Amino acid sequence: MNAEDLIALLRPHFPDALIEAANQGNKFDVRVVDDSFAGKRPVARQQAVLALVSDKFTTGEIHALNIQALTPDEWRSKQGD
């Protein structure tokens, strides 16, 4: 599995999202920017993403996953930092 595979796996569940991913081996960083995260706590957002890839931990395709799950407004405000 590589970053493009991870994006392809998440895309059907977040069709309108900005999804970015990077990896070094089986360690991944992923950013999902989507309106569906509005009103959800950070842990719930991460769980929503993690649930979609949990089987990849079992197979060893993913060893570590750093998830950044933001609303579009949060992402825009981070761009100004």
Side-chain angles (χ1 to χ4, degrees), residues 13-78:
H13 304 279
F14 301 101
D16 299 321
L18 165 68
I19 304 174
E20 299 173 331
N23 69 297
Q24 283 190 314
N26 60 358
K27 297 177 183 174
F28 290 82
D29 292 302
V30 66
R31 176 183 299 120
V32 182
V33 180
D34 194 69
D35 286 324
S36 68
F37 296 134
K40 293 184 180 174
R41 295 174 47 183
V43 170
R45 296 173 184 192
Q46 291 178 350
Q47 289 170 335
V49 175
L50 187 58
L52 301 172
V53 298
S54 61
D55 63 320
K56 303 300 181 191
F57 284 93
T58 304
T59 64
E61 292 175 82
I62 297 176
H63 174 73
L65 179 63
N66 178 36
I67 301 169
Q68 191 176 33
L70 305 166
T71 66
D73 287 341
E74 291 167 338
W75 175 238
R76 279 188 289 277
S77 73
K78 280 190 173 284

